[in-house]
């Protein structure tokens, strides 16, 4: 398992584009038994209306781009699971995470 602290997270859904304002975000990549999956935990999201919109809509698929504090860039497709009460979200990755090259 590898973790990356993010300092920028943006995504689009159709023609709409968003840049998240957050206090903390971590990308986690898990590789085990020949498979790999990834997810992002985000907390301290300031855009309450955005969280509420994703909490109530059926289509939560997004195209995202992220940058780590060290400058590494990632891109992928995920599903935005909003947690309005805690001003947080979990993004479940779907498929490859561009920019990720494990040395293991």
């Amino acid at each position: 398992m590898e973790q990356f602290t993010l300092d920028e997270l943006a995504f689009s859904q159709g023609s709409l584009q968003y840049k998240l304002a957050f206090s903390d975000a971590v990308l986690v990549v898990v590789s085990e038994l020949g498979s790999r999956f990834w997810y992002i935990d985000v907390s301290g999201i300031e855009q309450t209306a955005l969280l509420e919109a994703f909490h109530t809509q059926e289509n939560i698929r997004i195209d995202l781009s992220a940058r780590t504090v060290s400058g590494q860039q990632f891109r992928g497709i995920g599903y935005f699971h909003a947690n309005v009460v805690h001003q947080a979200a979990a993004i479940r990755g779907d498929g490859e995470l561009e920019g990720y090259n494990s040395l293991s």
Side-chain angles (χ1 to χ4, degrees):
M1 178 172 80
E2 292 184 78
Q3 294 186 17
F4 303 88
T5 302
L6 302 177
D7 73 351
E8 186 174 291
L9 184 56
F11 62 89
S12 62
Q13 187 182 51
S15 62
L16 301 174
Q17 295 188 3
Y18 307 95
K19 184 172 180 181
L20 278 185
F22 57 87
S23 61
D24 186 53
V26 176
L27 164 65
V28 179
V29 179
V30 179
S31 300
E32 59 183 31
L33 301 174
S35 64
R36 177 178 296 147
F37 65 93
W38 60 273
Y39 63 90
I40 298 173
D41 282 328
V42 188
S43 60
I45 298 174
E46 299 174 12
Q47 297 114 314
T48 304
L50 176 66
L51 286 173
E52 289 172 350
F54 272 91
H55 181 70
T56 58
Q57 71 186 30
E58 289 184 33
N59 180 14
I60 58 172
R61 183 182 181 278
I62 60 171
D63 296 302
L64 68 90
S65 63
R67 185 183 69 212
T68 67
V69 294
S70 65
Q72 190 171 358
Q73 299 280 340
F74 296 103
R75 298 183 70 79
I77 294 172
Y79 293 89
F80 191 92
H81 300 274
N83 184 328
V84 178
V85 173
H86 292 107
Q87 292 183 288
I91 300 171
R92 180 179 49 85
D94 185 20
E96 285 292 316
L97 180 63
E98 293 178 34
Y100 177 78
N101 295 312
S102 175
L103 299 177
S104 54

